Amino acid sequence: MSKEENIPKAAAIYNFWSGFGLDTYEENSVFDIDGVPDFPYLTYEFSSSSFGTSIPLSCSLWYRSTSWVAINAKVKEISETIGDGGVILHCDGGYIWLTRSSPFNLNTGDSSDDMVKRAIINVNAEFFTTN
């Protein structure tokens, strides 16, 4: 078994989302830091399940800009990384199969600051792990 297959599910999900060059926080831990993180950053949801089951997961990209160009480029990068067939995340003696969900992306903003751009990305995670 490779080192990659021995990492916990939570670490595999974190490693995937942190691979896009943005500061990355589990959505419940971002509130543990002092103040709001510097833009841009990514927050993600973590849940897990048992062998052969799938669950929806999401992440949010947070940018502060007058334009949607940069955030939409990052959405495209993530979409291309997942690809049409999904991506395999090795962990816990098996793997998680991440695929794009529908809708894959939803652009939204922040009612308190019209410069804040948020893209919500939806994926499906199917678990094929030993625990």
Side-chain angles (χ1 to χ4, degrees), residues 3 18 29-31 35 46 48 58 62 72 74 86 91 105 110 119:
K3 272 172 101 173
S18 67
S29 67
V30 74
F31 303 107
F46 175 73
S48 68
S58 66
W62 300 89
N72 286 337
K74 189 60 72 174
C91 62
N105 175 53
D110 184 327

Side-chain angles (χ1 to χ4, degrees), residues 35-131:
V36 176
D38 292 332
F39 292 98
Y41 64 95
L42 183 152
T43 59
Y44 69 95
E45 167 183 38
F46 175 73
S47 293
S48 68
S49 193
S50 57
F51 187 88
T53 58
S54 61
I55 57 173
L57 296 176
S58 66
C59 86
S60 292
L61 303 175
W62 300 89
Y63 281 62
R64 191 164 194 283
S65 175
T66 58
S67 168
W68 286 91
V69 171
I71 196 168
N72 286 337
K74 189 60 72 174
V75 168
K76 182 178 180 193
E77 177 187 347
I78 293 170
S79 179
E80 289 173 347
T81 298
I82 295 172
D84 292 335
V87 65
I88 300 293
L89 311 179
H90 293 278
C91 62
D92 281 337
Y95 62 93
I96 301 167
W97 179 29
L98 280 187
T99 56
R100 293 183 291 223
S101 192
S102 182
F104 175 68
N105 175 53
L106 173 66
N107 282 353
T108 185
D110 184 327
S111 60
S112 66
D113 184 345
D114 63 358
M115 294 276 290
V116 173
K117 311 293 187 239
R118 179 182 181 195
I120 302 168
I121 294 175
N122 297 299
V123 296
N124 189 60
E126 192 162 353
F127 291 81
F128 297 93
T129 56
T130 57
N131 57 21

